[in-house]
Amino acid sequence: MNHTHTSATSSMATSDRVARGLGYFSIGLGLLELASPRLVTRSLGMEGAETLVRAAGAREILTGLGALGVNPTPALWGRVAGDALDLATLASGLSADNPRQGNVKAAMAVVLGTAMVDAMAARALSERHVRPRHAHIADYSRCSGFSRPVEVMRGAASDFETPADMRADIGSGPRPTPVPIRLSDSDR
Amino acid sequence: MKALCWHGKNDIRYDTVPDPSIEDSRDAIVKVSSCAICGSDLHLYDHFIPGMEHGDIMGHEFMGEVVEVGADTKRLKVGDRVVVPFTIVCGECEQCRRGNFSVCERSNRNRELGDKAFGHATAGLFGYTHLTGGYAGGQAEYVRVPFADTTHVKVPDSLSDEQVLFLGDIFPTGWQAVVQCDVQPTDTVAIWGAGPVGQFCVRSAVLLGARQVVCIDRVPERLSMAAAGGAITIDFDEESVLERLKELTHGKGPEKCIDAVGLEAHATRSLDSMYDRAKQAVMLETDRPHVLREMIYVCRPAGVLSVPGVYGGLVDKLPFGALMNKGLTLRTGQTHVRRWTDDLLRRIEEGQIDPSFVITHTVGLEQGPDMYRVFRDKLDNCIKVVLKP
C-alpha cells in the first residue's frame, strides 16, 4: 500500500518553529514573573497581586517546557487558556483609580496579540501532528507475512536451536532435566 | 549526493552533501536502492539520545549495490547486491568471534566517547550518534561501509528489495528478542509495542512455536497487523494490561516478556508515565521506563525479560526488588545482526515469511523529512516507511 505525501525539505514547518519560539518566550517570561513579581505589579499599578503573578510565572514555565517537548500541541492550547486568564487578571487593573491604567491597556494588547499567535500555532499544530479523531483506520488483517495460515506456521522454525548463551536456563551443555521435588508424606 | 540530515530536535532535512569515498582499504561504497526509517531513528529525531551533530546523515536500515571497493576488500565486488546490517563489525575481535557483533571492539572509532558514556564502548553503528562512531547513515544516495567484507549480507536477485531490506535491522531485531526468550512450546510471550519491531517479534514468536503470543499497543492499525500475525491483542487505552494478561495466563503471568518500545513509552492512564514525562522535561531522567516496570511486575517468576527497545541513559523507579526476588532473567542489547541473517535469509527464500508485509508507505527520499513526522505521529495508518533514493 503506497501513499503520496507532500515533499518537504525540512521536517519542521513554520508552526513547529513558532511553537519553539513561544516555548523559549514562555520560559523567559515565566522566570521574570517568578523572580521579580513586584517589578510587574508596580509597572501595572497592581500592587498586592504578586502571588497571582508568581502563579502565572509557574504556569508560563510549565507550558513553555511543554512547547519545547516532542508534541507541543497540548502546551500551546494550554497557553491559549493561560492568555485568557491573564486578560481577565489584567482587566481588574483597568479601574479608574489606577494611575498606570495605560500600562495595563498596553499589556492587554500584548497578551491579546500573543493569544492570537498562540491560537493560530495551536490550531496549525493540531492539524499537522494530531491524529484526527475519526481518522480512517486501515485494515491490515491480511498482512500476516506468512504464506499459510498462522496456525500452520506456528512452530515452523522449530528446527532453530537456541544458542547456549541465550538459553532460559543459561547452560552451555544439554538442556537439564527438570528437578522433581520429593514430597514428604506429610505434604501429600 | 542527496541525504537526510539531522539539524536538531525534530529537524530532519533533505540536504545536498559530499559523496562518500573510500577512506580505508577495507571500505566499500554502496549505492542505496532502498532504505527505511526505523523506530529507533525517532529517538534521534526527538533528541532523546545525545551525540548527534548538525548535518549528520541519518539512517541505519538500507541496502543497495556495491559501486566501489577498497584494495583489501576480498569478499565483495562491484555489482554485488547487499543488505548492510546497522552494526559495523570487524569480524576478528574477541566479541565478534563470540557472535556478539553489536559490541564489536574495533568498529567504533570514537571509543573514548563510548567508554565515558557506557563504561565500555559498543560497536560502530551507521547514522546513530558520535557515541557509536559518528558514521554517516544510509538515508542517502551512497554510503561508505567500513569493514565491508564482514559488514554485509549478500542477497540474491530473485528476492525484491522489500523482501530483504529488513534483514539489516528490524527482522533480526525481532528475531533476537524472541530467541533471547528461549521460547518453549508451553510459553505465553507478551510483547509490548506493535511497531515494526513488535510486528517481527510477533511473527518470530509464532514461528518459534510459542503457545500464545500477546501484543500490547494502543494504535488500532498496528493492533490489526499484530493480530494478522497471530497475536492476541491488548489495547491499553481500552483495557487493563495487568488484568488481561492475568486472565490469559490463568493468573500466573506470561513466561516471556519483550519490550519493543524503549525509552519513549507512552501510557496515557498511568501515573508513572506522567512522573517520567515531568522528570524528563527538567532533565532529571533521560528515559521513560513504563514498559520495563510493567514487564517486571507481570512476568511469571523465573521468567525472561527481553529488551530490544532502545534505551539511552538513566531510568528511575525501576522495581529492581521485584526483578531480583522473582528471579527474572533480563536480556538486552543492540542486535547481533550478522549472527542471524544467513538463517533468516533462508527462511525468506523458503517462503516461511515475507518481511514486506510491514511496509505501509513507500516514497522518494526527498519526502523523508515529512515521513519522519508522519511515522512519529502515527498519522495516515503509517507503520513502516521505505524510502527510495
Side-chain angles (χ1 to χ4, degrees), chain A residues 1 5 9-12 20 68 128-129 131 136 138 140 143-145 147 154-155 157 162 165 167-168, chain B residues 9-14 182 203 206-207 210 221 224 331 339 351 354 360 367 373 376-378 380-381:
Chain A
M1 195 172 317
H5 284 275
T9 52
S10 168
S11 55
M12 288 191 87
R20 191 166 290 183
L68 296 178
R128 186 171 158 75
H129 292 283
R131 185 185 172 99
H136 161 74
Y140 292 137
C143 299
S144 80
S147 51
R154 195 176 296 277
T162 305
D165 60 333
R167 292 260 181 98
Chain B
K9 182 176 177 173
N10 297 163
D11 192 0
I12 303 291
R13 297 184 199 165
Y14 180 61
D182 190 13
R203 273 92 184 152
V206 167
L207 287 172
E221 62 271 18
S224 136
R331 288 208 171 93
R339 189 164 177 177
D354 177 357
T360 53
Q367 290 179 310
R373 175 183 67 89
R376 196 275 310 274
D377 293 336
K378 300 172 184 64
D380 197 26
N381 294 295

Side-chain angles (χ1 to χ4, degrees), chain B residues 148-204:
Chain B
D149 266 348
T150 37
T151 308
H152 79 267
V153 182
K154 233 176 255 185
V155 288
D157 290 337
S158 56
L159 296 171
S160 68
D161 275 19
E162 286 68 21
Q163 286 175 295
V164 292
L165 171 62
F166 305 130
L167 280 174
D169 185 351
I170 56 171
F171 187 12
T173 295
W175 182 262
Q176 177 176 303
V178 178
V179 167
Q180 287 185 152
C181 288
D182 190 13
V183 169
Q184 303 299 307
T186 49
D187 282 349
T188 293
V189 179
I191 297 155
W192 276 255
V197 168
Q199 300 292 342
F200 278 102
C201 287
V202 167
R203 273 92 184 152
S204 301

Side-chain angles (χ1 to χ4, degrees), chain A residues 7 22 53 62 69 72 74 86 89-90 95 98-99 104 115 122 129 134 139 152 165 179-180 184 187:
Chain A
S7 170
L22 286 169
V53 172
L62 275 180
D86 287 348
T89 310
L90 284 167
S95 55
N98 183 354
V104 174
H129 292 283
H134 300 294
D139 177 12
V152 178
D165 60 333
V179 181
S184 67
D187 292 330

Side-chain angles (χ1 to χ4, degrees), chain B residues 11-269:
Chain B
D11 192 0
I12 303 291
R13 297 184 199 165
Y14 180 61
D15 280 349
T16 302
V17 297
D19 287 353
S21 57
I22 299 284
E23 294 174 23
D24 183 277
S25 60
R26 296 169 74 178
D27 289 351
I29 304 294
V30 169
K31 183 179 192 303
V32 178
S33 57
S34 298
C35 53
I37 303 177
C38 179
S40 51
D41 284 328
L42 297 182
H43 306 319
L44 305 179
Y45 177 59
D46 293 335
H47 203 194
F48 283 117
I49 297 185
M52 291 297 282
E53 291 176 9
H54 275 270
D56 282 348
I57 299 176
M58 297 286 294
H60 54 267
E61 199 166 35
F62 59 96
M63 63 176 296
E65 183 189 331
V66 176
V67 291
E68 197 178 344
V69 291
D72 293 324
T73 303
K74 308 292 180 200
R75 295 166 56 204
L76 271 182
K77 61 180 190 308
V78 171
D80 282 346
R81 184 166 175 252
V82 292
V83 167
V84 183
F86 74 96
T87 42
I88 301 167
V89 298
C90 74
E92 294 164 353
C93 69
E94 188 186 331
Q95 293 287 10
C96 281
R97 288 201 307 271
R98 289 171 181 265
N100 297 330
F101 296 117
S102 76
V103 286
C104 168
E105 293 169 334
R106 289 188 189 166
S107 58
N108 188 343
R109 60 186 174 182
N110 291 342
R111 285 204 68 81
E112 307 81 43
L113 263 182
D115 286 346
K116 271 184 194 154
F118 297 132
H120 298 277
T122 57
L125 307 181
F126 288 101
Y128 218 80
T129 83
H130 289 262
L131 291 172
T132 55
Y135 292 102
Q139 288 165 9
E141 289 180 294
Y142 295 91
V143 193
R144 170 189 165 232
V145 179
F147 297 107
D149 266 348
T150 37
T151 308
H152 79 267
V153 182
K154 233 176 255 185
V155 288
D157 290 337
S158 56
L159 296 171
S160 68
D161 275 19
E162 286 68 21
Q163 286 175 295
V164 292
L165 171 62
F166 305 130
L167 280 174
D169 185 351
I170 56 171
F171 187 12
T173 295
W175 182 262
Q176 177 176 303
V178 178
V179 167
Q180 287 185 152
C181 288
D182 190 13
V183 169
Q184 303 299 307
T186 49
D187 282 349
T188 293
V189 179
I191 297 155
W192 276 255
V197 168
Q199 300 292 342
F200 278 102
C201 287
V202 167
R203 273 92 184 152
S204 301
V206 167
L207 287 172
L208 288 163
R211 184 179 67 84
Q212 192 168 237
V213 180
V214 187
C215 190
I216 301 141
D217 203 291
R218 71 195 286 260
V219 183
E221 62 271 18
R222 288 183 177 214
L223 289 169
S224 136
M225 191 183 272
I232 297 164
T233 58
I234 299 178
D235 180 340
F236 67 77
D237 268 353
E238 300 292 327
E239 55 188 329
S240 159
V241 175
L242 307 186
E243 288 304 315
R244 190 76 199 289
L245 283 175
K246 216 172 181 182
E247 179 193 311
L248 288 166
T249 57
H250 307 291
K252 292 189 165 184
E255 288 88 348
K256 311 289 161 67
C257 297
I258 297 175
D259 173 0
V261 176
L263 68 92
E264 289 190 71
H266 179 97
T268 44
R269 289 189 303 186

